Amino acid sequence: MNAQPKTPATFDIQRIRADFPVLSRTVHDGKPLVYFDNANTSQKPVSVIEAVNRHYRETNANVARAVHQLGEESTAAYEGARDKLARFINATSRNELILTSGTTQSINLVAYSYALPQLKPGDAILTTVMEHHANIVPWQLVAARSGAKVKAAPIDQRGELIVEQFVAMLTPEVKLACVAHVSNVLGTVNPVREIARECKKRGIPLLVDGSQAVPHRPVDVQALGCDFYALTGHKMLAPTGTGALWAKREHLEAMPPFFGGGEMIREVGFNGTTFAPPPHKFEAGTPNIAGFVGLGAAIDYYESIGFDAIHAQEQDLLHYATERLREIPGVRLFGEAREKEAVISFLLEGAQATDLATLLDLQGVAVRSGHHCAHPLMQFFNVPATLRVSLAFYNTREEIDVFIAALLKVRKLLM
Ligand code: PMP
């Protein structure tokens, strides 16, 4: 793991926690909630909740269709969120950012609009063993239709991608490479810049699944050097049903639309229809306007704290929780990459992951158990499931102490 950065003295955790109303609730007869399921979905600050609320109270109208004041305000708010997100990930242009319902839709858009039209029998898509199903199944679906195949690059026991093997698998039949920026199960940060350089040398486009990266670290899609970057809003303080696909202009211009309908056309006729330029070519129908207003507020919130402070706090929690877990006999950790985000997967000898998660929940501690939509990774470690603690900057060392005490109690019950 990285050397541990220090949380700045200006980081006022109590003020930050007060911004997240749900963190002060209790569960199961008065147990204070300890929310450690942030990789699944993050909690939302009051500024996001109020932005959505205010949108429906004061502004609600459809975008791009109305000339009345509410329509104009709504359009400005929706397009304003695109501007903020484009700046947030350093996209070269707002027109390269397609607003979607989340990473799943973003990846499917690339699968059906970019990959499928050009895949031929014998072609391949290269991904890795540590991917979320959202970065595996869409490729399998388009491979099945085209006669292409999906290959997966291996990882090592630490949970790191074996980069030399990934590079060796970038053979001429590979038409697209797809990797997670950060693993949702192991927290491993993949060396995306290096991977992008190797892909570029061979003329192979690279898609990065950024769902678990954007909430925790500054992302600069230009510096990464990838071709496509998919992200999800609900893991980064924003409402569910929001997300984006950033792609290089040359790809977006060549790609045919995926969904057809209103708002994505220039002119429709029964002798032929022409399409709006990107990004609107890929945004048929009414989008999740209020959700994106919330996403804009979420970005403002991130910027008000800053990633230096966020990263320092999360790395401190990661190190502390890892050390405390290591002290417990029978704990097996999965994923000890040298560079990690604050995600810890583990099992306790002699106990089922689901039983543990249920018993922890009864004590107020919300963690996730299961395969985490990563069957191939579970197969690699030869386990059906793990328990996953995923931390956010609004969590505390005291909450980790509560979790460890609860785990020790549960361990006693089960042993
Ligand atoms: N990729 C990764 C790495 C994820 O963690 C997730 C969500 N668990 C997804 C893709 C899918 O994101 P969504 O469900 O928001 O589309």
Side-chain angles (χ1 to χ4, degrees), residues 39-40 101-105 107 131-132 134-135 180 182-184 209 211-212 232-235 242 368 372-373 388:
N40 206 352
S101 64
T103 296
T104 303
Q105 190 191 332
I107 295 179
E131 301 306 310
H132 186 282
N135 203 19
V182 172
S183 157
N184 64 311
D209 172 353
S211 335
Q212 298 291 350
T232 269
H234 69 91
K235 297 183 199 287
T242 61
R368 182 157 175 203
H372 315 293
C373 300
R388 182 185 69 184

Side-chain angles (χ1 to χ4, degrees), residues 32 39 53 55 142 148 150 152 156 168 176 199 273 342 377 381 385 387 391 397:
N53 189 313
H55 174 80
V142 294
V150 179
D156 62 21
L176 183 68
C199 287
T273 288
L377 187 58
F381 284 115
L387 242 88
L391 304 161
R397 281 187 174 220

Side-chain angles (χ1 to χ4, degrees), residues 226-244:
C226 57
D227 292 75
F228 300 96
Y229 196 94
L231 63 93
T232 269
H234 69 91
K235 297 183 199 287
M236 51 175 286
L237 315 181
T240 50
T242 61

Side-chain angles (χ1 to χ4, degrees), residues 156-178:
D156 62 21
Q157 284 298 325
R158 267 201 306 240
E160 289 184 354
L161 182 65
I162 306 172
V163 178
E164 313 79 73
Q165 295 206 24
F166 182 90
V167 172
M169 291 172 83
L170 289 170
T171 47
E173 70 273 17
V174 174
K175 295 298 177 293
L176 183 68
C178 313

Side-chain angles (χ1 to χ4, degrees), residues 307-327:
F307 274 112
D308 286 348
I310 288 171
H311 196 66
Q313 169 75 355
E314 291 181 349
Q315 289 294 308
D316 176 67
L317 296 174
L318 170 65
H319 286 264
Y320 183 64
T322 305
E323 289 317 310
R324 298 281 337 250
L325 274 168
R326 271 195 227 279
E327 289 163 7

